[in-house]
Amino acid sequence: MFVRTRMTANPFTVTPKTTVPEAIALLREHAIRNLPVIENGRLVGLVGNHEIAAASPSPATSLAAGEITYLMNKLQVGKIMKKDPITISPDALLEEAAILMRDNKVEMLPVVENDQVIGVITESAIFDAFIEILGFRDHGTRLTLDAVDAPGVMAQLAETTARHGANIQHMAVYRGQDRASVIFGVNTPNTDALEADLAKDGFTVQAKLVNP
């Protein structure tokens, strides 16, 4: 799955000269947490709740409320933005985006193509893709199986499933030392006979979710 298929295209943006109150209003109005900062068509930074909070006066400040309001109304995004943000290509894999976000502790990546910001990919988009890949909301049955981690096991699982006329819609494997948990989604709500044959093959059903 590619970033292009999950990004939010044509994201809301600001310029370095946008005031902080204007940026705050945009963030609140659209329930977003970060905004790309664009100057002369190019990405120059990011501004979000974290940068705004860091730039806001401390409650212990000696400034009067009117002075604080005046200063914040004059403060521009270019003064507080995070410069040189990490970006990603729309043709990168979604896993690459997840690793970049996790390793760099960021919650959004601008998607750049030909030096232009064409979208953003967020944590929420990664979560939605994870749920879809595991088939948690799909019609049918989602089984979590305990299996020996050995060559031929997945082929055996596929063969047994095909024998029952079921179609494998989703599969993921979480490996241990010599055993694995297999997340296994099929397109039927009735898997009793399939489960019985899987047990004969050495699989153990650890969890079952039926979505009618």
Side-chain angles (χ1 to χ4, degrees):
M1 192 177 296
F2 296 99
V3 167
R4 189 186 298 276
T5 65
R6 286 290 176 174
M7 71 181 187
T8 299
N10 303 314
F12 297 103
T13 64
V14 291
T15 74
K17 293 184 178 180
T18 301
T19 66
V20 168
E22 288 172 332
I24 291 173
L26 196 57
L27 290 166
R28 289 178 177 172
E29 179 183 356
H30 299 287
I32 53 180
R33 290 181 286 182
N34 295 278
L35 292 162
V37 184
I38 307 297
E39 185 174 35
N40 298 325
R42 294 178 180 271
L43 178 72
V44 295
L46 283 179
V47 67
N49 295 326
H50 177 76
E51 288 75 29
I52 291 169
S56 299
S58 164
T61 182
S62 60
L63 294 174
E67 292 175 304
I68 293 174
T69 301
Y70 175 81
L71 290 173
M72 293 301 290
N73 284 342
K74 294 292 185 182
L75 184 60
Q76 295 181 341
V77 162
K79 298 293 185 181
I80 68 169
M81 68 183 184
K82 180 179 180 181
K83 297 179 180 179
D84 300 319
I86 300 166
T87 64
I88 196 162
S89 162
D91 297 318
L93 293 171
L94 207 57
E95 299 94 300
E96 294 179 77
I99 289 171
L100 271 177
M101 293 164 74
R102 184 70 180 89
D103 288 352
N104 293 281
K105 297 180 174 61
V106 295
E107 55 193 16
M108 184 266 276
L109 294 172
V111 183
V112 175
E113 185 175 48
N114 297 325
D115 294 328
Q116 301 293 311
V117 175
I118 63 168
V120 295
I121 187 79
T122 64
E123 285 180 331
S124 295
I126 301 291
F127 292 150
D128 287 343
F130 176 75
I131 292 168
E132 182 180 313
I133 288 168
L134 294 183
F136 197 80
R137 293 186 174 129
D138 285 4
H139 165 76
T141 303
R142 181 176 177 274
L143 301 173
T144 301
L145 306 174
D146 174 70
V148 174
D149 188 4
V153 171
M154 294 298 103
Q156 185 179 35
L157 176 59
E159 180 183 350
T160 301
T161 304
R163 197 164 63 242
H164 284 267
N167 184 36
I168 299 175
Q169 295 178 302
H170 304 276
M171 184 179 291
V173 180
Y174 296 90
R175 284 188 164 84
Q177 293 197 354
D178 57 356
R179 302 194 69 82
S181 290
V182 181
I183 309 298
F184 170 68
V186 292
N187 64 336
T188 174
N190 185 3
T191 58
D192 292 345
L194 172 60
E195 290 175 53
D197 276 357
L198 289 175
K200 293 177 185 177
D201 292 338
F203 297 95
T204 301
V205 177
Q206 297 177 309
K208 179 177 180 177
L209 174 69
V210 179
N211 288 329

